[in-house]
């Protein structure tokens, strides 16, 4: 059956806008994966070694998560059928939130349908018109959108420059509440926020501090709580965001903090209040993932050690990996066309390493984003290094 095109003149502008994007080499498409997420995947019908996922601990395709879902869905069905405030909140959600609070060492936690929703909903619940929000220049889009949504005064400080932030906060102003936002581990640069400095600035000025640990949850810190734990300042970060969707291999996001924070968000975070609760069976998978994170610390420890070795090998070949200090390793090449070309050439050699271009990264910082996971074998990493080396004649 063929689809009938809906021709409506009011959308004609899209043709020119899309053509413009493609002309600039900024058009996007979605590579189609077949089968489970993992270190080896079939993308667009081709078997590839996958350096393009956020499945840092190799849990997305783990059969224990699938089994937890199967069991829970058999018992309770799949759909949650309503928002959490209207019969959608199930025992599984309560158990997951209690487990997340224990994992994070906080009084309480709240699970959102996505990390994106956790960020936008939390920010807009904490500040509003008449308040001020301060955001690192390289923060994730969801933090930025949370600022816009909140309608608070919005100031951007240079990447990781907490001295500059300190000066911004010292300026007299009549704003009521003030909120500082930072990624814990920056999703494209792979560098860490200087949280020891940021907590001091926040405390000095009586500002709230929100740290988005999306890419660090399960990876950084002795217990896998994230960069704040790694840097020994977790008790000084009052609002912590994490995701279930990256290292934990599930889907959803969460906020960890005090009981009063969570109660406020249950009342005021619109993406939580007005969105259907995630399936309770998905909560069962996240519980299973948290058990694995606790029981198998070698996954994260091995990953970070191997990431450090990979960064060194790439630097030895002359690649610029920026300030990466993590499993996210950008190979910065500058022009978007060059990033796309290198990604294509690696693809031909059987490696999936996505090119990241503006607006995801600033102009001039197009890169290949190498995402290392605990599922990559030493041979896969050797292959990446040798193929990249051959592309520049090393
Ligand atoms: C730093 C950061 N925060 C939040 C998110 C959103 O998380 P989710 O994918 O669970 O919506 C992302 C997603 O890539 C991210 O990189």
């Amino acid at each position: 059956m063929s689809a009938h095109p809906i021709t409506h003149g009011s959308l004609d502008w899209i043709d020119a806008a899309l053509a413009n994007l493609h002309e600039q080499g900024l058009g996007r498409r979605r590579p189609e994966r077949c089968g489970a997420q993992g270190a080896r995947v079939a993308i667009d019908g081709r078997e590839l070694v996958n350096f393009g996922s956020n499945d840092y601990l190799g849990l997305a395709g783990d059969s224990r998560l699938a089994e937890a879902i199967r069991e829970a869905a058999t018992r309770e069905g799949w759909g949650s059928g309503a928002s959490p405030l209207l019969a959608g909140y199930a025992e599984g959600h309560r158990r997951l939130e209690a487990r997340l609070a224990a994992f994070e060492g906080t009084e309480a936690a709240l699970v959102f349908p996505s990390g994106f929703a956790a960020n936008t909903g939390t920010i807009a619940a904490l500040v509003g018109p008449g308040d001020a929000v301060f955001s690192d220049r390289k923060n994730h889009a969801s933090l930025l959108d949370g600022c816009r949504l909140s309608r608070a005064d919005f100031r951007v400080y240079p990447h990781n420059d907490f001295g500059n932030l300190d000066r911004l906060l010292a300026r007299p102003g009549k704003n009521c509440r003030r909120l500082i936002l930072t990624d814990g581990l920056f999703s494209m640069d792979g560098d860490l926020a200087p949280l020891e400095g940021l907590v001091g600035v926040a405390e000095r000025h009586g500002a709230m501090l929100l740290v988005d640990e999306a890419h660090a949850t399960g990876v950084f810190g002795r217990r896998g709580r994230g960069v704040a734990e790694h840097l020994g300042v977790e008790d000084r970060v009052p609002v912590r965001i994490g995701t279930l969707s990256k290292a934990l291999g599930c889907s959803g996001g969460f906020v960890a903090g005090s009981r009063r924070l969570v109660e406020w968000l249950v009342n005021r975070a619109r993406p939580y209040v007005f969105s259907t609760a995630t399936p309770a069976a998905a909560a069962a998978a996240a519980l299973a993932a948290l058990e694995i994170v606790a029981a198998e610390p070698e996954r994260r420890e091995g990953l970070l050690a191997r990431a450090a070795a990979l960064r060194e090998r790439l630097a030895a070949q002359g690649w610029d990996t920026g300030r990466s200090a993590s499993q996210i390793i950008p190979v910065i090449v500058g022009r978007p066309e060059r990033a796309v070309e290198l990604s294509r050439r690696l693809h031909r050699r059987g490696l999936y390493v996505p090119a990241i271009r503006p607006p995801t990264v600033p102009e001039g910082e197009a890169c290949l984003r190498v995402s290392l996971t605990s599922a990559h074998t030493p041979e896969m990493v050797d292959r990446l290094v040798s193929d990249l080396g051959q592309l520049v004649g090393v």
Side-chain angles (χ1 to χ4, degrees), residues 126-387:
L126 292 177
V127 285
D131 299 327
V133 61
F134 301 82
S135 177
D136 186 289
R137 187 172 76 86
K138 293 211 167 177
N139 276 344
H140 186 254
S142 53
L143 293 172
L144 195 67
D145 284 7
C147 296
R148 292 178 176 143
L149 200 61
S150 74
R151 291 181 291 141
D153 288 348
F154 173 33
R155 323 235 168 105
V156 175
Y157 62 90
H159 182 49
N160 279 346
D161 187 347
F162 59 87
N164 185 291
L165 173 67
D166 197 22
R167 288 191 290 283
L168 279 179
L169 279 155
R171 282 191 200 152
K174 50 184 178 349
N175 299 113
C176 307
R177 299 182 206 139
R178 300 190 296 174
L179 172 65
I180 300 167
L181 306 175
T182 186
D183 283 11
L185 165 54
F186 287 86
S187 55
M188 293 299 143
D189 293 54
D191 59 339
L192 311 186
L195 292 182
E196 309 100 309
L198 283 168
V199 292
V201 171
E203 285 162 4
R204 201 158 38 254
H205 296 283
M208 300 175 279
L209 173 63
L210 179 156
V211 178
D212 175 5
E213 299 271 23
H215 293 270
T217 305
V219 177
F220 272 82
R222 193 168 63 78
R223 283 156 292 206
R225 291 174 177 171
V227 175
E229 182 188 28
H230 173 70
L231 297 176
V233 295
E234 52 180 333
D235 294 340
R236 296 166 70 190
V237 177
V239 189
R240 293 187 340 229
I241 307 275
T243 49
L244 305 172
S245 55
K246 304 189 193 304
L248 297 186
C250 298
S251 90
F254 65 89
V255 179
S258 60
R259 256 183 230 108
R260 65 182 175 183
L261 170 68
V262 166
E263 189 180 345
W264 179 247
L265 296 177
V266 166
N267 281 276
R268 278 289 184 267
R270 291 168 65 85
Y272 184 77
V273 174
F274 296 107
S275 197
T276 297
T278 51
L287 276 166
L290 286 165
E291 294 312 323
I292 299 172
V293 168
E296 301 174 16
E298 62 279 6
R299 284 182 188 252
R300 61 178 168 277
E301 291 158 5
L303 172 61
L304 290 179
R306 285 163 54 208
L310 175 56
R311 290 195 303 273
E312 267 179 34
R313 292 173 75 186
L314 293 175
Q317 287 183 343
W319 296 107
D320 176 7
T321 59
R323 291 171 295 248
S324 168
S326 70
Q327 77 283 10
I328 300 169
I329 308 175
V331 174
I332 302 165
V333 297
R335 283 182 303 108
E337 303 80 10
R338 172 140 164 82
V340 170
E341 176 56 21
L342 285 171
S343 176
R344 271 203 200 115
R345 288 167 71 182
L346 289 171
H347 190 275
R348 268 183 237 125
R349 292 162 177 253
L351 301 173
Y352 179 59
V353 189
I356 310 290
R357 295 164 285 164
T360 308
V361 290
E363 293 292 338
E365 292 184 28
C367 65
L368 296 172
R369 180 179 183 271
V370 176
S371 171
L372 194 66
T373 77
S374 60
H376 287 118
T377 62
E379 293 71 32
M380 290 171 173
V381 177
D382 287 348
R383 216 173 120 191
L384 173 70
V385 173
S386 96
D387 283 5

Side-chain angles (χ1 to χ4, degrees), residues 57 59-60 62 64-70 72 78 92-93 95-101 103 111-112 217-218 242-254 278-294:
L57 298 181
L59 295 181
D62 192 298
R64 290 169 286 183
L65 273 56
E67 183 55 23
I69 290 190
R70 197 186 61 75
W78 175 246
H93 296 116
R95 288 181 49 228
L96 174 58
E97 288 174 357
R99 183 71 187 82
L100 279 169
F103 170 70
V111 174
F112 283 72
T217 305
T243 49
L244 305 172
S245 55
K246 304 189 193 304
L248 297 186
C250 298
S251 90
F254 65 89
T278 51
L287 276 166
L290 286 165
E291 294 312 323
I292 299 172
V293 168

